[in-house]
Amino acid sequence: DSTLLVAWIRGYQAIRKTNVIINEMKNSNVPYNHAAYSAEAIALRSFVAYNMTMLWGSIPYVTEDSDLMGWIIPSSTEDIVNNIIEILDEEKENLLASYEESEATMHLLKPAVLTLMAEINLYLGKNEESKTILELLSEWNDKDVFILNIPSSEEMSIPEAYKDLNS
């Protein structure tokens, strides 16, 4: 299917571009918040790689622009996902928490990355880590950055209309 081929090509284009940005940030003396922009590029690369892994399983996982072997040898889904969560955990404190911290209007903000981390932890079966992250996200409820409603135990129970279906 050409749609899948286009998704594959665009996914790797995005990964390559983020790797270039990360390398350029390391070597740049432009007065930007290097840590924040680098963390944002890493988070974007992680988002793309995670979604590609969910679509195709084991894929070539490339974290350096010059990593030629990474382009050839697929990494296991488990290795990729574990590496992504490890990298995001290291970088999350460098991310901007709100648009107020930057003159730019488009950023991949910390709440979005924490949401991705919660999803990845759920995928890995790390429910307590996901719950901790979701509780941390609730701090943004009052900041008009992120709205999160964690349902109570009663709200998570099976609705009456569906109880007969499970009998």
Side-chain angles (χ1 to χ4, degrees), residues 1 5 10 18-19 45 53-55 60 66 73-74 76 90 97 101-103 124 126 129 136-137 160:
D1 186 0
L5 178 60
R10 289 198 176 144
T18 56
N19 285 337
R45 179 186 66 201
T53 301
M54 292 299 100
L55 278 171
S66 61
I73 302 170
S76 74
E90 291 171 8
E101 297 178 30
S102 171
E103 293 177 16
L124 292 170
K126 298 178 180 179
E129 286 89 340
L136 178 64
L137 280 168
E160 290 296 323

Side-chain angles (χ1 to χ4, degrees), residues 128-161:
E128 285 303 313
E129 286 89 340
S130 289
K131 183 179 178 196
T132 301
I133 292 170
L134 290 172
E135 289 169 350
L136 178 64
L137 280 168
S138 67
E139 292 177 12
W140 276 278
N141 273 348
D142 297 331
K143 298 180 183 178
D144 293 330
V145 173
F146 190 80
I147 303 299
L148 175 69
N149 293 314
I150 301 174
S152 67
S153 297
E154 295 80 33
E155 292 173 316
M156 291 179 68
S157 64
I158 299 173
E160 290 296 323

Side-chain angles (χ1 to χ4, degrees), residues 3-85:
T3 304
L4 289 175
L5 178 60
V6 169
W8 179 272
I9 291 168
R10 289 198 176 144
Y12 275 110
Q13 286 173 338
I15 288 172
R16 183 175 186 290
K17 287 177 183 179
T18 56
N19 285 337
V20 168
I21 290 169
I22 293 163
N23 286 332
E24 290 296 319
M25 292 302 293
K26 290 177 189 173
N27 302 321
S28 174
N29 58 4
V30 177
Y32 290 116
N33 183 343
H34 288 206
Y37 288 121
S38 181
E40 191 173 343
I42 289 168
L44 183 57
R45 179 186 66 201
S46 297
F47 177 78
V48 172
Y50 173 71
N51 281 289
M52 289 179 73
T53 301
M54 292 299 100
L55 278 171
W56 289 290
S58 297
I59 62 168
Y61 181 53
V62 184
T63 59
E64 295 290 331
D65 192 38
S66 61
D67 184 10
L68 296 178
M69 291 309 289
W71 287 105
I72 300 167
I73 302 170
S75 300
S76 74
T77 301
E78 185 177 340
D79 287 346
I80 294 169
V81 174
N82 280 314
N83 184 264
I84 288 171
I85 199 73

